[in-house]
Amino acid sequence: MFKYDDTNIFAKIIRGKLPSDKVLETEHALAFHDINPQAPIHVLVIPKGPYVSMDDFTANASAEEIVGLWRAVGEAARLLDLVEGGYRVMSNHSANAHQEVFHLHIHILGGRPLGPMLEGGDIPPNGTWHRPA
Ligand code: 5GP
């Protein structure tokens, strides 16, 4: 797996070296608007600690950091008034998911009907995938 590189864009945002359009900041997490929104509301929630992705975070973060991040996801969605209309939460880990920034981030998307979970997905005709054993 990748080693954490603290010159990544989100690390610079945490250190205040790059600006962000902030939604929420807590002891363990920061939420800010995505620079290239894929929905009317597209916010990223990141842990303040140095974690490459969901894999690194769930293996190595403390219980306080994990709770802190997920509480911030819920709180940001409430602040953005997304609860009633609904929202989607996702996080990309590594190559198959197309992760581009190697500091864990959770996308919150909302503000319009979001369509199927994977738009343009190549679901097999019989609806079943072969799962690796
Ligand atoms: P990924 O593909 O890694 O899950 O998503 C990276 C996200 O970070 C993309 O949605 C992209 O638009 C966003 N992003 C990249 N650079 C910046 C930046 O400098 N500021 C903000 N706010 N978002 C960024």
Side-chain angles (χ1 to χ4, degrees), residues 9-10 32-36 92 98-101 105 107:
I9 288 164
F10 296 167
F32 52 91
H33 290 274
D34 196 292
I35 206 168
N36 182 23
N92 295 317
H98 236 278
Q99 183 178 3
E100 288 175 358
V101 179
H105 47 286
H107 298 256

Side-chain angles (χ1 to χ4, degrees), residues 51-113:
Y51 301 102
V52 173
S53 74
M54 189 61 82
D55 181 64
D56 186 13
F57 187 68
T58 52
N60 300 311
S62 68
E64 288 76 17
E65 288 173 301
I66 292 172
V67 169
L69 182 69
W70 286 107
R71 287 257 192 238
V73 170
E75 179 64 13
R78 284 187 288 277
L79 288 170
L80 293 159
D81 208 16
L82 290 175
V83 175
E84 198 175 321
Y87 62 92
R88 182 170 291 159
V89 167
M90 53 170 259
S91 187
N92 295 317
H93 164 73
S94 204
N96 277 355
H98 236 278
Q99 183 178 3
E100 288 175 358
V101 179
F102 291 93
H103 180 112
L104 171 64
H105 47 286
I106 294 173
H107 298 256
I108 302 177
L109 297 147
R112 68 161 167 85

Side-chain angles (χ1 to χ4, degrees), residues 7-38:
T7 63
N8 76 73
I9 288 164
F10 296 167
K12 289 180 182 170
I13 286 176
I14 291 167
R15 293 199 296 272
K17 300 287 179 207
L18 284 178
S20 69
D21 184 2
K22 225 179 267 183
V23 172
L24 170 73
E25 180 162 11
T26 68
E27 184 184 354
H28 292 298
L30 186 62
F32 52 91
H33 290 274
D34 196 292
I35 206 168
N36 182 23
Q38 305 296 306

